[in-house]
Amino acid sequence: MPAKILVTEVIAPEGLAALEARGYEVDVKLNLSDSTLRAIIGDYDALIVRSATNVDKALLEAGKNLKVVGRAGVTCDNIDIEAANALDIIVCNAPTSNIVSAAEHTFALILACARRVPQANQSMHAGNWNREQFKGVELYGKTLALFGLGRVGGAVAERATAFGMRVLAYDPYCNPERATSLGVKLINDLDVILEQADFISVHLPVTSTTENMFGPEEFAKMKTGVIFVNTSRPAILDLNSLADFVAARKIASCGVDVFDDEPCYNSPLHSLPNAIITPHISALTEEAQVRSGVQIADYVWAGLEGSLVPTALTATGSAGEMSRHIAPFVPAANMLGRMVSQIKGSVPRIVKVKMMGNLAELDPTVLVTSVLEGLLSSNYTQCSTMLEAKRYAERHGVDIDCSGTDVAGEYAAGIEIVADDICISSTVFGSEKLPRITSILDYKIDVAPTKHSLIFEYEDMPGVCGIIGTVLGNHGINISTMQIANSDDGTKALVYVNVGKEVSDEIIEEFHEAINLKYLFRISL
Ligand SMILES: NC(=O)C1=CN([C@@H]2O[C@H](COP(=O)(O)OP(=O)(O)OC[C@H]3O[C@@H](n4cnc5c(N)ncnc54)[C@H](O)[C@@H]3O)[C@@H](O)[C@H]2O)C=CC1
Ligand SMILES: O=C(O)CCC(=O)C(=O)O
């Protein structure tokens, strides 16, 4: 029986034809409700979606035969990747398909705001001829601030330069050389960049550091008369606040393509004449649709045939036997990346990843990519080969390398990362395969880190653990794990403490006053 593929959103006929030509049965069923989709998904081996289908845990669990979910586009925030990973379902996307379209639509909005094209058009259609009312502003010589200089941000920068704009960018993870080669000046100080910009365009993924990045405080710091465009994701900003500033004309005009709870029929921007709003159409062009349809057809086919899926976002997509060994280490690799960048307080420049024991002979790409995601706080970095991972890292100023060794100490397998001068290693343990730290900064430990932890190093002396416990206890913070390790020469000690909630700056200050600390790191995973 041929494999069955369900397509729930419009993809290019070229993509559908490619799947049918391979002998699959392809059903296109648009506008299904969540409950109908859940009722029928059990019949299908693969599902192809764009951004509107909610591929949550319940749907994935109902997909008893589901092997692949293909996203005909880039961002997979409508798909529960973690649940798919747990269920061994491959999730893949078409990451390069719509960059140009998204950049061009961003410019459509920038120009529409600057020259008031939609308003002038509407006025003409109403039988008017009001030239003065539609006086605009030029882009030439103006300053554009880009937030996020990745794939789409970079393409917008190239186009902005052609308009004679001065282009600035806020992107702490961007390699300065990439910025220079795009003719962009990096300014990684929010206040400084906000006050310089005549135009602002946002191209950020949603992460804990970008969510709600723009609210009343940030809008207030912008120049009066700024033009603000968001074609990235709605969670980046506070829409009510944006509407207030647009209504007050502090922001002269805004262009917005993405909304909470799409389809969105009403929002605070809908009634504002100087808000240009579009229904999530940045990627909606003939060309991007053909590219994403054809690319996703190829990757879904690879997944169904059990081949390597080049754009797999789940460890499962790395094919067969290898993934069974690699998959449990993906969270550990990500954790190591996050810990290292928090301990350093910045992105390290030289990173060496070592795959140890059973992992030594396997393709390291998935784990190196996961380390990079942790280091750069990005979601779903797209690297299907080590070469791509190295190039991606290079774009962010990181020189990354990977090696293998049969030796993994007392464990069957592990990963070690050395980032500049910081070394941490990890293994996974138990039926749940929880990541554990096995050594950190030359100290041997064995801790499964929780969401919040503290790492102390100090000249060894009695009573320090008591002080740590007392200070935390005084502030009502629970300790769930405390582990002590001594340096080889016995003069120094390291204490790793898992705590119940985030520790404030004031408490950190208190520790510095009470203990002769070499250092104290606060980690949030
Ligand atoms: N409206 C639409 O139809 C489309 C929307 N998008 C959205 O556009 C956004 C950008 O997409 P891509 O360029 O492909 O992503 P990307 O991953 O290539 O680039 C994102 C950039 O943001 C930077 N970044 C991450 N955290 C940051 C932070 N805290 N502060 C400053 N910079 C930070 C990264 O270093 C990276 O350079 C995404 O949200 C994507 O979902 C993309 C395509 C179409
Ligand atoms: O048109 C679509 O499929 C949405 C594209 C999008 O938002 C993305 O790829 O991030």
Side-chain angles (χ1 to χ4, degrees), residues 9 50-51 71-75 98 232-233 258 280-281 283-284:
E9 291 174 68
R50 292 179 59 147
S51 58
R71 158 75 165 99
V74 182
T75 320
N98 62 24
S232 64
R233 282 294 178 265
V258 282
H280 202 152
I281 56 171
L284 204 62

Side-chain angles (χ1 to χ4, degrees), residues 50-51 71 73-77 95-103 105-106 146-155 169-175 178 188 190 202-211 213 230-234 236 257-258 262 278-284 376-382 392 395-396:
R50 292 179 59 147
S51 58
R71 158 75 165 99
V74 182
T75 320
C76 291
D77 44 12
T96 53
S97 55
N98 62 24
I99 302 164
V100 169
S101 296
H105 189 67
T106 301
L146 298 172
F147 284 77
L149 196 60
R151 288 170 293 217
V152 179
Y170 177 89
D171 188 334
Y173 309 109
C174 178
N175 182 352
R178 169 178 161 79
N188 289 327
L190 206 58
V202 187
H203 305 284
L204 297 169
V206 180
T207 68
S208 57
T209 55
T210 61
E211 202 167 354
M213 189 184 251
N230 182 25
T231 56
S232 64
R233 282 294 178 265
I236 303 290
D257 182 49
V258 282
E262 294 177 3
T278 52
H280 202 152
I281 56 171
S282 291
L284 204 62
L376 303 170
S377 303
S378 69
N379 291 335
Y380 317 130
T381 303
Q382 310 288 328
Y392 180 86
R395 228 174 72 193
H396 293 82

Side-chain angles (χ1 to χ4, degrees), residues 407-421:
V407 182
E410 52 225 70
Y411 305 98
I415 331 171
E416 174 188 277
I417 76 170
V418 181
D420 296 340
D421 49 349

Side-chain angles (χ1 to χ4, degrees), residues 385-398:
T385 61
M386 260 308 283
L387 187 64
E388 269 181 42
K390 277 169 161 282
R391 285 200 185 126
Y392 180 86
E394 209 175 289
R395 228 174 72 193
H396 293 82
V398 182

Side-chain angles (χ1 to χ4, degrees), residues 285-304:
T285 59
E286 301 277 346
E287 295 81 357
Q289 204 152 317
V290 170
R291 257 182 244 126
S292 66
V294 170
Q295 284 175 15
I296 209 62
D298 265 358
Y299 304 146
V300 166
W301 168 70
L304 287 174

